[in-house]
Amino acid sequence: MITRYYDLKTQYNEGLNAGAEAIASGQLVIFPTETVYGIGADSENLEAVRNIYIVKGRPSNNPLIVHIADFSDVDRIAMDIPDKARKMMDAFWPGPFTIVLKSRGVLSREIAGGLDTLAIRMPSNEYARELIKRSGKMIVAPSANISGRPSATSARVCMEDFEGKVPVILDGGESRIGLESTVCSFTGEHPVLLRPGGITLEMLRSIEPSTSVSRAVLTQIAPGERPESPGMLYKHYSPRAAVKVVRGEEDKVENKIKSLYHEELGKGFRPVIYCPSFNASRYEGLSVRETGEDLNETAHNLFEMLREADREGVDLVLFEGVREDGLGLAISNRIFRAAGFDIIDA
Ligand code: AMP
Ligand code: MG
């Protein structure tokens, strides 16, 4: 298959029309959003939906998110929608926020990996919204990466994983946020944060103070345990390099990272240290990469940096842990998973 690539900056109409036509005719399209790139299909075309799982190598019980551009679509596909959910939609849509609601059964269960719920999001990215509108469809899409690999935050990375496997790739520049959407479930009495993202727990609680956090956000699900969000089961966001996270008191973190670094070097392998810009001077003379000036920049750069580690042939990525509130909760969630929960308390 030949992949048609469009740069939306210079090929706005051509690219979006090609994407919309491809969706409407049952093909897959990779498209930009403010969170990460998505690989999308018509929500009502079961064969196209199945194709997403095949092309990604995604386990069939890991559900997809339905992307909409119109508030009224929620009532068409979901039911028993609590007021708390409506308040949150009003507050955070369009944006990096996904709600899990009871499905009306209009859309196939296969979209939700066999569950009787549906995850729904209204993205704010202009290109994504326009693609949905022009296709006239609701678009189901997971992140545009081969299953288990770090999510894609640029079209270049999508090409790495999917050139020749997906007919259309739309390039909308770098994803603004860089982490997947916040997922919050409204199927119980109170909202439950299943996956942290650009809309933080603090923001959710400012609307609905009773919002709780799934245990799976920062801890590993035991084998055999049933997670609220099936995506939590899988190894995720993983580069080929091993990843370790070191957290705790500043000085101790620095010392522990240095000793792990030298241990790795001594074995003949290639370690690299990932830390915020303001800490980089601690590791002078060692191989160090700055994740950014603050948590926003770190979120934006994280997945690309994990990909870069592989391009450079790094064997071990040593992460300085970040604070676990605000956007730091989402960053911690991703790096803990990338590390397969190899977390060292210094
Ligand atoms: P991705 O778009 O690749 O980030 O994957 C979507 C993620 O959203 C899944 O891995 C789940 O964790 C979550 N999700 C989607 N649908 C549901 C659902 N019906 N119930 C719970 N979590 C869901
Ligand atoms: Mg994903």
Side-chain angles (χ1 to χ4, degrees), residues 8 15-16 25 46 52 86 122 129 131 144 146 165 221 228 240 245 254 268 295 328 341:
L8 295 178
L16 286 171
S25 65
L46 200 51
I52 293 180
R86 299 213 188 259
M122 185 187 290
R129 291 173 66 78
L131 178 69
I146 298 291
K165 295 183 190 154
I221 297 288
E228 292 148 305
R240 277 175 282 273
V245 182
E254 179 184 335
L295 293 177
F341 288 89

Side-chain angles (χ1 to χ4, degrees), residues 70-292:
D70 196 327
F71 274 89
S72 64
D73 283 338
V74 178
D75 293 281
R76 283 177 50 208
I77 58 176
M79 60 184 193
D80 302 343
I81 305 169
D83 283 347
K84 289 171 182 172
R86 299 213 188 259
K87 276 202 286 183
M88 295 252 202
M89 285 184 241
D90 284 341
F92 303 125
W93 277 1
F97 179 61
T98 298
I99 51 173
V100 176
L101 296 167
K102 205 165 156 200
S103 171
R104 208 176 254 291
V106 175
L107 294 182
S108 165
R109 267 176 182 249
E110 284 187 42
I111 290 173
L115 299 171
D116 57 4
T117 54
L118 265 187
I120 308 170
R121 177 164 103 86
M122 185 187 290
S124 63
N125 179 282
E126 165 64 21
Y127 300 130
R129 291 173 66 78
E130 202 50 36
L131 178 69
I132 299 167
K133 285 186 201 157
R134 290 188 191 200
S135 70
K137 306 286 184 187
M138 293 176 280
I139 297 181
V140 289
S143 52
N145 53 276
I146 298 291
S147 193
R149 300 271 300 144
S151 300
T153 53
S154 70
R156 170 192 173 189
V157 167
C158 298
M159 292 288 268
E160 253 172 41
D161 280 9
F162 295 110
E163 190 173 10
K165 295 183 190 154
V166 169
V168 179
I169 295 184
L170 302 178
D171 185 345
E174 285 181 17
S175 305
R176 182 171 58 83
I177 296 172
L179 300 178
E180 306 84 348
S181 60
T182 299
V183 179
C184 189
S185 170
F186 293 89
T187 55
E189 197 178 328
H190 299 293
V192 182
L193 175 65
L194 300 181
R195 177 177 74 185
I199 301 298
T200 63
L201 176 62
E202 293 79 358
M203 289 160 82
L204 300 178
R205 285 189 173 151
S206 76
I207 305 290
E208 192 44 61
S210 66
T211 306
S212 65
V213 182
S214 165
R215 222 171 43 78
V217 166
L218 289 184
T219 53
Q220 193 163 22
I221 297 288
E225 206 180 325
R226 200 177 144 270
E228 292 148 305
S229 178
M232 304 270 191
L233 270 179
Y234 304 104
K235 192 172 156 83
H236 245 117
Y237 319 120
S238 305
R240 277 175 282 273
V243 177
K244 288 182 199 285
V245 182
V246 184
R247 63 177 178 186
E249 263 175 58
E250 288 216 343
D251 289 355
K252 289 186 179 159
V253 168
E254 179 184 335
N255 289 333
K256 185 68 193 175
I257 286 188
K258 283 177 177 165
S259 87
L260 288 168
Y261 183 99
H262 289 295
E263 206 176 286
E264 186 78 358
L265 264 190
K267 285 190 264 175
F269 293 119
R270 251 191 90 183
V272 68
I273 298 162
Y274 282 18
C275 69
S277 309
F278 46 83
N279 285 344
S281 62
R282 292 173 170 179
Y283 304 108
E284 223 184 301
L286 308 185
S287 178
V288 59
R289 304 278 181 278
E290 298 176 18
T291 55

